[in-house]
Amino acid sequence: MSSQASDLITLGHRIRHFRGQRGLTLDQLGDRVGLAGSQLSLIENGRREPKLSTLQDVAAALGVDLTELLSREAPNTRAALEIELARAQKNPLYGALGLPQVKVTKGTPLAAVESLVGLHRELARRASEAIATPEEARRANTELRELMRDRDNYMPDIEQLAEDQVRASGHVSGALTHREVSVMAERLGFNLIYVNDLPNSTRSVTDLVNHRIYLPPASIPGGHGLRSMALQAMGHRLLGHERPSSYAEFLWQRLQINYFAAAALMPREASLAFLSTAKRERELAVEDFRDAFGVTHEAAALRLTNLATSHLDMTLHFLRVTGDGALQKGYENDGLPLPVDVTGSIEGQYVCKQWSARSAFTHTNRTTEFYQYTDTPAGTFWCATQTGATDAGEFSITVGVPFAQAKWFRGRETTQRAVSRCPDESCCRRPVSAVSSRWVGKAWPSARLHAHVLSPLPSGTFPGVDDTEVYEFLEAHAAE
Ligand SMILES: [Zn+2]
């Protein structure tokens, strides 16, 4: 519906409003301006556009300024509802339902109008909600990953934005402080407020009217998570985000705010100064980068992927893998063969058991990174893996590079080596034949419900269960 048409509806309501205030009938006002009452009725219903001279006559007859008559505001609450209903009924969204147009008259109860408007609002909300099936979600995720791979995971515009914001907050060097994050928010016109009752489904809520950003309670003020969440909320504003119209746009916004927060916590200039020195000294280590900027291991590892190719002349990969070996997040521009499903999606796929992302779980000393060289069909990679645990279970964070680039990293002298033949299934996906033949048909495992919503069940004799692990478990215990 054109804005002109919707302005006509408002204009009509304003004329009717002032006519009612003056106690005039349609015919009486019509007489004064030289129009038939029926013609005036068409104008009041927004179905005819009056000439300017007619409007001037109407304004004069009603004793109001022309500008007052032409105001775009509804003259009262009921008129506002009627205008909204008229607009909604002309919307193609409603037209597609094939339902009749309801004509509201003076006698229509207010509750009926409110109910209809409420239903139209809900219809519009549902239609615009970014609903995605799991397939759409996976496809959008894959497209985004490929886009970022083409850009070497680097976004210069957001880098610049973050650097400017950080500098304006008074930050000079080292880790961005809690105080500096608050100053950044204040410069944007927002107050950071910590509350105990944020909705479960949100990480932060921004009140655009009162200019407040609500965050979860600060159990440890200055912690990485809290600064990051505040920065992400600010990122939405600074990047001019509108309500996402699709799941892909939602993901894109998420990626942008995460990037902004990381670029603010580990600003480009300071990060490159730190990383370049470490590279020159052949002492590159994600754990040092992490500690220098007071962020999580995962945040530091991801940040390295933003800067390594664009500024440090390196290709690399990043993996976040759960205790059961499933890939939660991954990035590579160094050719590491990530496991993919038929749609090209990597999330929920199991990485090779030989990779350090999984072998690190069996490593006893977990206080520092675990280093390993892995021969793969795509060449040899050097990887550094840090393991950790959350309430949801174990996970590992890996950053790795092709063999030739290992020389810049601490841990390059490791003697830990492994051979991975994946995606050849005989590498680690099929049971060793002797064990297999002994147990096939004689095992009955019961599957644990899978934690990853987006991930498919691994194929095998028992859906959701890794045969190899079951057989090896039985083999080990049978001997006891
Ligand atoms: Zn394998």
Side-chain angles (χ1 to χ4, degrees):
M1 165 175 204
S2 70
S3 66
Q4 193 195 12
S6 89
D7 286 348
L8 284 182
I9 294 173
T10 307
L11 173 66
H13 272 274
R14 292 188 74 82
I15 294 173
R16 183 180 296 147
H17 171 74
F18 290 116
R19 179 172 63 77
Q21 272 191 345
R22 308 293 180 265
L24 297 171
T25 63
L26 277 169
D27 287 333
Q28 286 169 335
L29 180 59
D31 281 347
R32 296 185 189 187
V33 298
L35 281 179
S38 57
Q39 287 175 301
L40 196 55
S41 176
L42 287 174
I43 292 171
E44 285 193 358
N45 287 322
R47 287 160 58 190
R48 175 171 297 178
E49 186 173 4
K51 285 188 210 146
L52 185 61
S53 60
T54 304
L55 279 178
Q56 284 166 332
D57 292 344
V58 169
L62 293 170
V64 295
D65 283 342
L66 183 60
T67 49
E68 173 71 11
L69 204 60
L70 289 170
S71 163
R72 283 161 173 248
E73 262 183 47
N76 55 52
T77 317
R78 172 158 178 136
L81 287 169
E82 289 184 20
I83 291 167
E84 188 176 344
L85 181 61
R87 285 179 188 165
Q89 291 194 132
K90 288 191 180 170
N91 192 309
L93 190 63
Y94 182 70
L97 300 179
L99 294 169
Q101 299 276 322
V102 176
K103 177 138 176 41
V104 175
T105 65
K106 221 188 286 178
T108 311
L110 181 63
V113 183
E114 283 176 334
S115 170
L116 284 171
V117 168
L119 288 169
H120 279 286
R121 283 180 188 161
E122 182 60 16
L123 181 66
R125 189 189 71 77
R126 292 190 184 201
S128 67
E129 205 161 65
I131 297 168
T133 63
E135 290 74 26
E136 285 167 336
R138 291 170 75 80
R139 201 180 315 122
N141 211 22
T142 301
E143 279 170 14
L144 202 52
R145 191 167 48 79
E146 284 165 1
L147 175 81
M148 290 311 291
R149 188 190 197 273
D150 289 343
R151 298 182 180 189
D152 290 326
N153 222 20
Y154 184 62
M155 295 204 267
D157 295 354
I158 299 183
E159 294 283 353
Q160 196 57 52
L161 176 70
E163 205 146 81
D164 293 346
Q165 289 293 318
V166 164
R167 195 168 294 136
S169 75
H171 179 76
V172 184
S173 66
L176 190 68
T177 65
H178 193 79
R179 168 73 195 141
E180 286 161 344
V181 173
S182 296
V183 170
M184 276 175 69
E186 282 162 27
R187 289 187 64 256
L188 264 178
F190 283 92
N191 278 320
L192 302 180
I193 296 178
Y194 302 96
V195 292
N196 287 309
D197 55 348
L198 265 185
N200 280 329
S201 57
T202 61
R203 301 206 288 182
S204 70
V205 174
T206 300
D207 174 345
L208 297 174
V209 177
N210 300 300
H211 301 278
R212 292 171 176 172
I213 297 174
Y214 291 103
L215 295 159
S219 56
I220 307 172
H224 164 257
L226 209 54
R227 284 178 294 149
S228 181
M229 267 187 285
L231 289 164
Q232 287 171 25
M234 283 182 242
H236 277 308
R237 309 266 59 82
L238 286 163
L239 294 159
H241 286 169
E242 303 275 341
R243 199 165 169 278
S245 62
S246 65
Y247 187 76
E249 194 182 343
F250 163 78
L251 280 184
W252 175 236
Q253 290 185 355
R254 277 293 283 266
L255 188 146
Q256 286 188 308
I257 59 167
N258 287 338
Y259 196 109
F260 171 76
L265 288 170
M266 294 159 273
R268 179 173 53 187
E269 203 178 312
S271 296
L272 287 175
F274 182 90
L275 294 170
S276 302
T277 304
K279 185 187 172 195
R280 205 177 315 119
E281 293 170 355
R282 301 188 169 217
E283 275 289 315
L284 265 178
V286 171
E287 59 183 353
D288 292 354
F289 186 36
R290 168 196 75 196
D291 295 343
F293 287 86
V295 296
T296 63
H297 198 87
E298 179 174 1
L302 275 170
R303 186 66 180 136
L304 184 61
T305 67
N306 298 147
L307 300 171
T309 308
S310 54
H311 290 89
L312 299 170
D313 200 22
M314 267 187 251
T315 54
L316 75 176
H317 62 263
F318 162 89
L319 308 168
R320 183 187 162 108
V321 168
T322 57
D324 60 359
L327 195 52
Q328 275 186 316
K329 294 180 199 168
Y331 169 78
E332 62 76 28
N333 68 350
D334 62 0
L336 181 77
L338 296 180
V340 291
D341 69 9
V342 285
T343 70
S345 180
I346 60 169
E347 287 76 17
Q349 298 295 304
Y350 289 86
V351 304
C352 180
K353 284 178 184 169
Q354 306 302 332
W355 290 8
S356 72
R358 291 187 73 173
S359 52
F361 287 120
T362 59
H363 191 59
T364 46
N365 175 11
R366 297 193 182 186
T367 53
T368 58
E369 290 172 293
F370 170 76
Y371 309 114
Q372 177 178 302
Y373 285 98
T374 311
D375 298 327
T376 79
T380 301
F381 294 85
W382 174 89
C383 302
T385 299
Q386 177 69 55
T387 51
T390 66
D391 293 345
E394 286 186 304
F395 66 96
S396 72
I397 303 294
T398 300
V399 165
V401 292
F403 181 82
Q405 296 170 34
K407 61 187 174 190
W408 311 119
F409 287 83
R410 185 158 75 227
R412 62 186 170 275
E413 67 290 339
T414 183
T415 54
Q416 187 79 30
R417 289 197 82 104
V419 177
S420 161
R421 285 176 290 108
C422 274
D424 178 347
E425 292 207 339
S426 68
C427 168
C428 60
R429 272 152 224 268
R430 245 184 266 140
V432 180
S433 60
V435 177
S436 170
S437 56
R438 196 169 314 141
W439 289 102
V440 71
K442 297 171 192 156
W444 188 265
S446 184
R448 184 157 57 95
L449 209 57
H450 215 275
H452 317 289
V453 179
L454 287 180
S455 66
L457 295 171
S459 57
T461 318
F462 299 92
V465 171
D466 183 330
D467 299 3
T468 314
E469 281 176 1
V470 172
Y471 295 148
E472 281 170 1
F473 166 86
L474 289 170
E475 184 78 1
H477 286 271
E480 281 172 1

